[in-house]
Amino acid sequence: PVYGSGCGAAGGGPTVYANGGYITSHAQGMDGKELPAAAAPASWLAGSVVEVGWAIAANHGGGYQWRLCKLGEGGDASG
């Protein structure tokens, strides 16, 4: 399932699991579009190739997805 607006969810979703999947910096399940803006957000040219990084701390054999959320008027991620 996709939680929230599709911009990601803190800890992966609303449920805390004993084997990981929990977060302490934000509320569990918080919608990614509600995160505060970065002090210096990345700015990429449409169609450009950029290098990004990702890490996982639990070997659960599950999948993951990348989503880039377009900023709307006023800098919110609601599109």
Side-chain angles (χ1 to χ4, degrees), residues 13 15 46 67:
T15 306
R67 289 191 177 92

Side-chain angles (χ1 to χ4, degrees), residues 26-73:
H26 300 290
Q28 180 75 30
M30 178 182 171
D31 193 324
K33 77 175 191 171
E34 303 298 326
L35 289 170
S43 180
W44 297 330
L45 181 63
S48 64
V49 176
V50 297
E51 185 175 335
V52 297
W54 181 82
I56 187 168
N59 187 14
H60 59 78
Y64 61 90
Q65 297 178 352
W66 281 97
R67 289 191 177 92
L68 297 178
C69 297
K70 183 177 181 178
L71 289 180
E73 293 293 324

Side-chain angles (χ1 to χ4, degrees), residues 15-32:
T15 306
V16 176
Y17 294 100
N19 65 340
Y22 60 88
I23 187 167
T24 58
S25 60
H26 300 290
Q28 180 75 30
M30 178 182 171
D31 193 324

